[in-house]
Amino acid sequence: MNLQHEIIWLVNDLSKLKVLHVTPHLGGGVGRCLSTISQVKFDEVNREFLLLESPVDRSFYDVISQKHKIRIVNYQNDTEQYLQTFDIIQCEFWNHPAMLHFLNYSKNIRLRRIFWCHISGLGDIRFPLNFLNSDNKIIFTSEISNAEYRTRNPVVNSGFVFAENNDESTEHNREYDFVYAGQLDYRKLHAEFTNIILQAATLSQTEVNILGDGRDRQLIQDKISSDNVVFHGHVNNVRDYFSRSKFLIYPLNEEHYGTGENIIKEAMSQGCVPLLLSNPAEVEIMKEHSSFLCHKSEGCLVQSFYKLIKDDALVEHYSNLLKRFSEHNYSVKLSVDQLAQVYTDSLGAQTPGLFEMQEAFGGSPMEWHEAFGNHQETSENKNIPSKGSRAHFEQYFSQGETVLGVNYGR
């Protein structure tokens, strides 16, 4: 069978298509994204997953492994032969040193690569222009990236409503006014997060529930003295909290680099109304509803609490409206179908090739770090450097040849 006939065969029968998802880890937003995709019943693609680091939190790992093979990379084994058994290598891409190492390690292997970019490229963390202007197949997760870089890359949403939502009604007993869910980490949160929560607590007659954990959890708890703010840590029933709460408070900092924001979409799918700041990602997610629900400052956000908490009819209107809106725009089926179209296009337009690592990112680990912007974030915990920071790169590439398969030197 020649290449053209093989491509036609694969396009016509996606069940024969083998896609390898290569990801640094299965934590956070990317773990939630890939675990949701992995459970789609009507997905015909044959998927496997390659982790570039050993899992720390195995919750999403365990979900994916129920249906799909997961391998943890071992650069001492015959990685080249393994990679070449796949029709498409899907790089779950952001400025993680493990991903840059994988690309460098595999640059001379002829593969059909696509890059699903899980950062926006806004703020301090920028996409290298040489990478964006290359012939590589690049997918964004939000149109804000195309607008920023004046590109026309395909967009596939990476944050989803809850799968298999059998509850047709949003008329839940909403016993709580406000909930927050997500990372308690000022790398993501707005600097005035504690003040915003305290304002909600002052206004509300019910508990303000804080769901999630993070490196700044203790700092945030120490600043909040209200008796009706309850910190639950990590919970498995976040969906239940959304169905029982009127509003999701979700104020992120101005330069956060996420785009999927599963929390917003999951909340909407349960009729919980998101109250947000007007950062580019949130405005794009809310689309035509952003003018009412995305606020230009933390003061305006707090003022919306006072307006909405007294207007049950308006809240019920938005609760039902946003449930329909989110299910129409942010279902996992829609994203899986869009990925399938990208696969089809790639099979027709791409032949397996080498990767021009130096042209895209540079010739050394520190050049790869600097290619995304010379950001110098530091962490209070010196044993856990900030993600994508110089210290993160230095720590990763100090592991040596026995782990990385390559000796980068000092």
Side-chain angles (χ1 to χ4, degrees), residues 100-147:
L100 277 298
H101 169 60
F102 171 79
L103 293 172
N104 185 61
Y105 183 90
S106 61
K107 63 187 177 184
N108 293 323
I109 306 174
R110 292 193 176 277
L111 303 169
R112 188 181 287 107
R113 301 170 179 85
I114 66 173
F115 295 82
W116 196 11
C117 298
H118 293 280
I119 56 174
S120 64
L122 279 62
D124 288 339
I125 302 173
R126 308 289 296 176
F127 286 119
L129 295 182
N130 287 346
F131 169 65
L132 291 184
N133 294 330
S134 68
D135 293 331
N136 294 294
K137 190 68 173 179
I138 295 170
I139 314 168
F140 287 145
T141 51
S142 173
E143 281 292 354
I144 61 173
S145 301
N146 276 326

Side-chain angles (χ1 to χ4, degrees), residues 273-277 286 289-295 308 318 322:
V273 178
L275 301 177
L276 312 167
L277 293 172
M286 300 309 298
H289 307 300
S290 64
S291 60
F292 183 71
L293 298 171
C294 298
H295 303 277
L308 287 169
Y318 266 97
L322 293 176

